[in-house]
Amino acid sequence: MTAAPLIPIVDSADRHLAEVRLNSQEILRGHFLHAFRDQVRMPDQRTASREYVVHPGAVMVIPLLEQADGSVRLVLERQYRYPMGQVMTEFPAGKLDPGEDPFLCAQRELKEETGYTAKEWARAGVLHPVISYSTEFIEIWFARGLTAGQRRLDAGEFLDVITATTEELMLWCMTGQVTDAKTLAGAFWLQNTHGQAPSWPLVWKKSHTAA
């Protein structure tokens, strides 16, 4: 499979850093991953090989579970990740289906994996977790006004749902108990939206499925 030459998506001031795809070879089409090996022209006009994975994109949800005393706990998951060979602590997340709206995906993944639905949602931003070898992006969403319900895990999906305070999550990040990149990014957003001196505003909107 040969793809059309890639037009760099860069500002004109950065054009001197861009690489241009000359040709592309498909090297793997799996159930989930799609890998390519491209030949590119570098800024000095020499050529080089670039191998990368095309990813459909994903969402991550930071669920805020309000307590009766006014405090908030975070909903997290513990799941065995085969490439790492260990159980990882992370925020709920999942990949986008073809053509799926990220907001709807966030609502679907939260319900399927944790059983919770949320009354209000706020899009925080986007992260690119592995920019050196993948097109993957992850949209970060906050959810609040949670209501517990039944999970609907996919076949072959096994995970535990836990809750933690923000302070506990920060400690786990500091000590290396949490090393998942998207969850570390989520902790960074938490510090700036719900920390002692929040400076990053969130714009909340109602769930599509809320009454």
Side-chain angles (χ1 to χ4, degrees):
M1 176 179 178
T2 301
L6 178 67
I7 300 174
I9 306 175
V10 295
D11 294 334
S12 58
D14 292 330
R15 192 59 61 87
H16 65 287
L17 300 174
E19 300 176 349
V20 178
R21 182 169 62 195
L22 302 174
N23 59 70
S24 183
Q25 175 190 5
E26 183 183 63
I27 56 179
L28 171 69
R29 180 184 286 272
H31 175 70
F32 175 51
L33 297 179
H34 197 186
F36 289 87
R37 180 184 296 113
D38 290 2
Q39 292 295 314
V40 304
R41 183 172 63 245
M42 297 185 293
D44 64 0
Q45 303 304 306
R46 292 186 298 173
T47 61
S49 178
R50 299 285 184 258
E51 295 181 355
Y52 62 98
V53 174
V54 173
H55 189 284
V59 299
M60 177 185 72
V61 183
I62 302 174
L64 307 174
L65 184 60
E66 293 93 348
Q67 304 296 296
D69 63 0
S71 63
V72 172
R73 295 186 69 85
L74 308 169
V75 179
L76 295 145
E77 300 173 352
R78 287 182 53 75
Q79 184 174 185
Y80 181 80
R81 293 298 193 176
Y82 181 81
M84 302 303 299
Q86 66 185 86
V87 173
M88 309 290 284
T89 300
E90 53 193 287
F91 281 121
K95 71 179 181 66
L96 292 162
D97 289 336
E100 185 176 24
D101 180 87
F103 182 31
L104 293 178
C105 180
Q107 295 174 77
R108 174 177 60 79
E109 288 293 340
L110 180 64
K111 173 64 176 177
E112 290 179 356
E113 295 189 354
T114 72
Y116 284 105
T117 55
K119 291 182 179 179
E120 292 186 301
W121 294 79
R123 183 185 182 277
V126 64
L127 69 101
H128 296 90
V130 282
I131 57 176
S132 61
Y133 63 86
S134 176
T135 65
E136 181 178 6
F137 67 90
I138 303 176
E139 286 206 4
I140 305 169
W141 287 82
F142 281 79
R144 69 184 182 187
L146 302 185
T147 300
Q150 287 292 113
R151 295 192 296 170
R152 295 196 297 266
L153 296 176
D154 294 335
E157 191 173 28
F158 306 92
L159 56 88
D160 289 338
V161 177
I162 65 171
T163 65
T165 65
T166 299
E167 292 75 18
E168 287 172 329
L169 175 61
M170 296 303 173
L171 177 63
W172 296 343
C173 293
M174 182 186 72
T175 59
Q177 185 173 338
V178 169
T179 59
D180 171 56
K182 66 181 182 298
T183 304
L184 292 172
F188 178 63
W189 271 92
L190 272 168
Q191 282 185 321
N192 289 280
T193 58
H194 292 79
Q196 293 182 348
S199 58
W200 294 4
L202 293 173
V203 179
W204 294 90
K205 61 181 179 178
K206 298 294 185 181
S207 168
H208 284 183
T209 58

